Amino acid sequence: MPLATTRRTGLVDQVIEQIRATVAAGEWPVGTRLPPEPELAGTLGVGRNTVREAVRALAHAGLLEVRQGDGTYVRATSEISGAIGRLAGTELREVLQVRRLLETEGARLAAGHRTPEELAELERAMAACTEAEGAADLAAFIRADLTFHQLVLRCAHNAVLAELYRGLTEVVHASVATTVAGGRCESHTGLLAAIRSGDAAAAAAEAEDFLDSLLREHGDPSAVTTNVRRVIA
């Protein structure tokens, strides 16, 4: 989404919102270097001091990172994600415990609220997961698996739950990458079937059982903390 010239009231807040929206839309993925300050100021139609103040606020919130002598980079997909990245909660066991809470309720709600179009998206995500598994393409598999989980939460039609989960994007991605061992597409077939049939109890049970199995397998925090931090970094 292209940046637009801001109105002349609440300039700093408007710049913050535009940068936030651009990052959330995926136009500036994590790791992207923002345009230089003069270029941003010209595009937005504001002074450099306004841009500097907005960037400072977003860096403090954890969305951006200012590297002296290098530039400003996108650090996270949202302020929630940035805050989580600063916590000790990047330990795999803790991430899986939080995922268990959110994904179990998300699956329960998704079974009752998903639309036919959203179900089709879930089916496509599962197909992409299966295809990546068959091709032994680990990177594609991780992307498809993460997309599937995100879609389930979106199908819940609970804006607060979806935003909380979106804020966990980086650590969820890290947990998927850390725990994946061979293909796991078949582990989601029961969940997809329950959502397809509208069985809320079965969907919640499938999600809960899946995360419980990961916790049993990866429950030793001393063995996995470093791995998760390395994936996030």
Side-chain angles (χ1 to χ4, degrees):
M1 81 184 272
L3 296 172
T5 301
T6 61
R7 299 184 301 278
R8 294 294 174 181
T9 58
L11 292 180
V12 173
D13 287 342
Q14 291 178 54
V15 171
I16 288 173
E17 184 53 39
Q18 287 217 51
I19 294 176
R20 181 189 291 127
T22 302
V23 171
E27 294 293 328
W28 290 339
V30 173
T32 298
R33 185 174 185 262
L34 269 62
E37 188 179 278
E39 183 180 335
L40 269 180
T43 300
L44 293 164
V46 298
R48 293 178 62 175
N49 285 340
T50 300
V51 171
R52 192 174 301 122
E53 188 174 342
V55 167
R56 186 183 300 117
L58 289 172
H60 180 73
L63 189 73
L64 302 178
E65 178 183 1
V66 178
R67 302 176 187 173
Q68 295 300 325
D70 186 9
T72 300
Y73 290 80
V74 178
R75 180 180 181 181
T77 55
S78 70
E79 285 95 328
I80 294 175
S81 182
I84 290 171
R86 294 196 297 266
L87 300 175
T90 50
E91 181 181 306
L92 178 57
R93 176 175 54 86
E94 295 179 359
V95 173
L96 293 176
Q97 288 169 342
V98 173
R99 283 185 58 189
R100 183 180 183 274
L101 292 171
L102 299 181
E103 293 184 27
T104 298
E105 185 59 23
R108 186 193 312 279
L109 292 172
H113 295 86
R114 59 85 181 163
T115 66
E117 294 76 18
E118 289 168 339
L119 179 59
E121 285 189 75
L122 283 171
E123 300 277 8
R124 286 193 292 271
M126 178 65 78
C129 187
T130 302
E131 181 180 353
E133 179 184 344
D137 188 337
L138 181 60
F141 179 87
I142 292 171
R143 287 194 302 271
D145 189 69
L146 179 62
T147 297
F148 180 84
H149 289 293
Q150 292 171 328
L151 285 172
V152 170
L153 269 292
R154 203 172 82 197
C155 290
H157 289 260
N158 183 305
V160 176
L161 185 62
E163 181 61 22
L164 285 172
Y165 197 77
R166 190 175 73 84
L168 290 169
T169 297
E170 282 75 40
V171 290
V172 171
H173 177 274
S175 70
V176 170
T178 304
T179 59
V180 64
R184 289 189 296 129
C185 293
E186 72 283 352
S187 63
H188 298 328
T189 55
L191 172 57
L192 180 58
I195 292 174
R196 185 188 299 116
S197 65
D199 190 334
E206 288 284 346
E208 186 176 55
D209 288 348
F210 171 68
L211 269 302
D212 279 346
S213 68
L214 290 183
L215 278 163
R216 285 193 297 271
E217 185 177 354
H218 302 278
D220 179 5
S222 64
V224 294
T225 301
T226 303
N227 289 338
V228 176
R229 291 186 184 280
R230 184 171 64 247
V231 173
I232 293 173

